[in-house]
Amino acid sequence: MASASLHSLLLKTPNNPTNSYSFKNPITLPSQNVSFITPTRSNKPFSITCATHVQDRSTTTSETQSQDRVFNFAAGPATLPENVLKKAESELYNWRGSGMSVMEMSHRGKEFVSIIEKAESDLRSLLNISSDYYVLFLQGGATTQFAAIPLNLCKMDDSVDFIVTGSWGDKAFKEAQKYCKPTVIWSGKSEKYTKVPSFNYLEQNLNAKYLHICANETIQGVEFKNYPTPINKDAILIADMSSNFCSKPVDVSKFGLIYAGAQKNVGPSGVTIVIIRKDLIGNAQDITPVMLDYKIHADNKSLYNTPPCYGIYMCGLVFEDLLNQGGLKQVEKNNIKKAELLYNAIDSSNGFYRCPVEKSVRSLMNVPFTLEKSELEAEFIKEAAKEKMVQLKGHRSVGGMRASIYNAMPYAGVEKLVALMKDFQARHG
Amino acid sequence: MASASLHSLLLKTPNNPTNSYSFKNPITLPSQNVSFITPTRSNKPFSITCATHVQDRSTTTSETQSQDRVFNFAAGPATLPENVLKKAESELYNWRGSGMSVMEMSHRGKEFVSIIEKAESDLRSLLNISSDYYVLFLQGGATTQFAAIPLNLCKMDDSVDFIVTGSWGDKAFKEAQKYCKPTVIWSGKSEKYTKVPSFNYLEQNLNAKYLHICANETIQGVEFKNYPTPINKDAILIADMSSNFCSKPVDVSKFGLIYAGAQKNVGPSGVTIVIIRKDLIGNAQDITPVMLDYKIHADNKSLYNTPPCYGIYMCGLVFEDLLNQGGLKQVEKNNIKKAELLYNAIDSSNGFYRCPVEKSVRSLMNVPFTLEKSELEAEFIKEAAKEKMVQLKGHRSVGGMRASIYNAMPYAGVEKLVALMKDFQARHG
């Protein structure tokens, strides 16, 4: 928790499970349409106390955060739930009486098969995935999918459309150029990737096989709150959800394919999850490496070759934990609360802190911000580290700061960060 | 350890750190030329007691094998060293005071960079890898390399040669057909993959870019004891060493490229190690997925995208352990001792047990065997499982039994298996 000196600077607010300040508009749910609005009660720098008692689970978890843990704001690999780590620790040497570690299990043995089947089943429950879709546990990260998607879904001459709202969408587009004819139908680059376009005026190609988006740009902190529809009714929508996977409910049926690296919200690095509509597989290009062919993996239930077993096991523990929390609606509520606290702190700092992203599309997961006095950024990051808040440096391509506040970041971690921000501003503002 | 009933059947032999029976020829080292010879002292079924006290580390480890551990003969993922698992368990929740698990670390943070750099450095020490080679930590298993190798080293019209001594070499050949013009210059298929050819009579293509072997066939248990030389002096030798990687010293300078999935001898699944001569990279075909391009990974020190961090950490712990054991010469000695015990038991069973592989190329790692009365195989596997020896079933493509006795299999595990074999034969022979 924040040090005494930090606490002394905070304005006290009543203990209240809801926010005690008023909004221009109420927060609207579901998440597809969430926006963050600066409080209007006062022109003073906004502040909030660490002593607020909110009764949700994110706070409960944070209250039991071990003293020797840091608050890890890394963009991925990222913080994991403490109880999941404790469970993994207790089972590492001997998994449930099997006499071996999960790391030692044959991927074709009954023990591991039970692990991967439960992981899939729990993920299907979380996202309400119908039997029209395969769920695949693969390797190679989203970057491997940048090639696998056009290799599986296109011929070399096929057109596909990309909406590029940040660095990852751009990478996906560039890789697709090797395997089909992609077009960037909208790019936020000229505005430094701070926006999502209005869907009404997109100039989609009538014959595009798919429309690709990156649902949450990890580096720039831009998140789609709702989704465009391909103009061609035979085309599908594809989303890279690496950095907001399982952070909120998603209507999977709107997508032909969803993919995500696990290492943000649902596990360690080394596992990539692909959710693909069953009718889309089986037509990979001849040059497709067998390991990038969805049909191979679907026919073999992700066990064509040795999968990343331990990572899948960890994902399974996280899925179970998310279900125990009440599922993704509750998870989203917690994430909104954390993001609200941080964005409000930025927006009420009278420009001392700045978030460049348009308010309506700010990410619940990755919060980039800069200091008006950019020469102080290194000092801020240093002080945060001293207070056991680490990995706050922005991506090397954009600079500034970035706080990644994935599912597993406790509310107390954001409170502590906001407390430091106030304190730092009081000293340097 | 074996049950009392098993022990009672064993002939007692003197406590002797070396073998007490005589060989037709002494065992010859180095490993490139090891052969297993049936003892000649007696025509009775060969037997050995579990009580033998051998002073090497493999036995020391086995003597401290926890009572709740099984002996896991799986072909991969496979048994890991107990002390490595214990260390991983102790560090899982909070790695060396960092306040986080290795699974939570940014791959670009100083903590993980120290982990991957030490892993690489220790592997270089183990295999005496010169600075002319890159060491890459990748994803996707050897199967991904089956595509990556021709994509990186060939044009579509280039010839390459394959010696196929088992199922994995055959898979590598088939995948290469997508990206170049491979020829099988020798295949053991007609003899059910039980041999390695004589190198003198190979009909290599004069213009082949490389000669590919699978150094150890996991399914058939066929292992190269020395290596062929490409006839074209500009060509290179490439070896899939997945299932005997770090099981013995290897002269890396004889190879242009060595690759291995980690999940047999050096870690959990999800990590693939590629050792490649530096001058060979940078000419990938245009259709190469960026994640399969060696130059991308070499230029980025295996950190182009998020690597399988926890798996790399585990490999690092294993490398450290192998160095602490005295390096690969000592590891090979232990492996020879284990393999000897098991092959001798098979060969001295008067045909009750049979290993189909030609003696001079029997694998130190994977020991396939059948029962003369094949109808008893299921019963044998069942009894073994009851005695806490698991995963002894042969690969589904070949049947029978297979005991994988990788580095981390304790000597006591092989002793116990051999004891059961004697006991089973006494009851069913």
Side-chain angles (χ1 to χ4, degrees), chain A residues 19 27 91 163 194 264 266 283 326 346 349 360 386 419 422:
Chain A
N19 294 290
I27 291 196
E91 297 184 337
I163 298 174
T194 53
K264 319 288 188 180
V266 299
N283 301 299
I346 292 166
S349 72
S360 64
K386 217 176 275 174
K422 304 288 169 197

Side-chain angles (χ1 to χ4, degrees), chain B residues 10 28 47 108 112 141 143 179 211 247 249 276 284 301 325 335 360 378:
Chain B
L10 296 173
T28 52
S47 65
R108 303 195 192 282
F112 183 71
T143 307
Y179 311 109
L211 174 59
S247 68
I276 183 168
K301 298 187 172 191
Q325 286 185 42
N335 285 330
S360 64

Side-chain angles (χ1 to χ4, degrees), chain A residues 69 80 82 93 104 269 307, chain B residues 69 80 82 93 104 269 307:
Chain A
R69 294 269 289 170
L80 288 166
E82 265 198 271
Y93 179 72
E104 303 176 292
S269 60
Chain B
R69 293 269 290 170
L80 288 166
E82 265 199 90
Y93 180 71
E104 303 177 293
S269 60

Side-chain angles (χ1 to χ4, degrees), chain A residues 69-375:
Chain A
R69 294 269 289 170
V70 295
F71 287 117
N72 174 10
F73 292 90
T79 192
L80 288 166
E82 265 198 271
N83 60 323
V84 164
L85 289 172
K86 283 290 181 193
K87 182 150 196 181
E89 180 187 50
S90 74
E91 297 184 337
L92 186 134
Y93 179 72
N94 185 346
W95 182 80
R96 303 179 194 179
S98 65
M100 62 179 96
S101 173
V102 172
M103 284 183 262
E104 303 176 292
M105 289 177 183
S106 167
H107 55 299
R108 304 195 191 282
K110 62 182 190 303
E111 296 89 352
F112 183 72
V113 168
S114 77
I115 288 171
I116 192 170
E117 286 181 349
K118 182 173 188 320
E120 177 178 339
S121 166
D122 283 355
L123 179 58
R124 284 183 181 274
S125 297
L126 277 171
L127 282 167
N128 196 21
I129 302 169
S130 86
S131 60
D132 295 337
Y133 289 79
Y134 289 116
V135 172
L136 308 176
F137 293 96
L138 307 177
Q139 297 184 60
T143 307
T144 299
Q145 296 309 309
F146 296 166
I149 290 167
L151 279 166
N152 279 270
L153 303 183
C154 297
K155 303 297 167 210
M156 279 283 183
D157 286 335
D158 284 342
S159 294
V160 303
D161 286 348
F162 281 77
I163 298 174
V164 176
T165 54
S167 304
W168 289 103
D170 184 54
K171 284 196 178 197
F173 160 72
K174 284 177 177 149
E175 184 76 349
Q177 288 178 309
K178 295 176 185 166
Y179 312 108
C180 63
K181 304 271 180 258
T183 307
V184 175
I185 60 168
W186 188 90
S187 169
K189 191 173 184 183
S190 63
E191 294 173 283
K192 294 189 176 172
Y193 295 130
T194 53
K195 293 182 178 169
V196 168
S198 161
F199 302 149
N200 296 330
Y201 303 101
L202 290 173
E203 295 189 9
Q204 296 187 48
N205 287 299
L206 293 173
N207 57 350
K209 297 272 282 188
Y210 60 75
L211 173 60
H212 182 282
I213 63 170
C214 178
N216 184 70
E217 286 284 356
T218 323
I219 294 173
Q220 285 85 9
V222 175
E223 183 171 18
F224 282 77
K225 304 298 178 180
N226 45 38
Y227 304 105
T229 306
I231 195 167
N232 169 358
K233 73 176 176 40
D234 294 329
I236 58 164
L237 180 64
I238 296 180
D240 176 357
M241 292 195 181
S242 292
S243 50
N244 66 352
F245 190 64
C246 289
S247 68
K248 59 184 181 183
V250 164
D251 181 355
V252 171
S253 72
K254 287 188 176 174
F255 299 84
L257 194 163
I258 290 169
Y259 63 107
Q263 71 275 12
K264 319 288 188 180
N265 269 315
V266 299
S269 60
V271 181
T272 313
I273 293 161
V274 170
I275 302 168
I276 183 168
R277 226 174 59 205
K278 289 182 175 176
D279 62 299
L280 297 171
I281 69 162
N283 301 299
Q285 294 183 31
D286 294 342
I287 56 166
T288 308
V290 64
M291 284 294 290
L292 271 61
D293 187 336
Y294 296 138
K295 183 165 167 51
I296 294 285
H297 294 295
D299 287 351
N300 291 279
K301 299 188 171 191
S302 302
L303 299 174
Y304 172 71
N305 77 331
T306 317
C309 299
Y310 196 74
I312 293 169
Y313 156 75
M314 287 299 300
C315 290
L317 293 186
V318 173
F319 296 150
E320 194 173 64
D321 180 61
L322 294 175
L323 285 171
N324 289 341
Q325 287 185 41
L328 297 188
K329 275 190 190 167
Q330 183 57 46
V331 168
E332 178 183 42
K333 274 188 199 167
N334 299 343
N335 285 331
I336 289 173
K337 206 169 286 175
K338 289 184 290 176
E340 225 178 77
L341 178 61
L342 183 49
Y343 284 117
N344 283 340
I346 292 166
D347 290 339
S348 60
S349 72
N350 287 329
F352 187 82
Y353 300 104
R354 292 173 177 189
C355 172
V357 181
E358 192 177 270
K359 289 185 181 178
S360 64
V361 294
R362 285 176 172 178
S363 169
L364 286 181
M365 299 284 101
N366 310 100
V367 180
F369 60 101
T370 55
L371 279 173
E372 187 180 18
K373 301 173 185 170
S374 61
E375 69 276 13

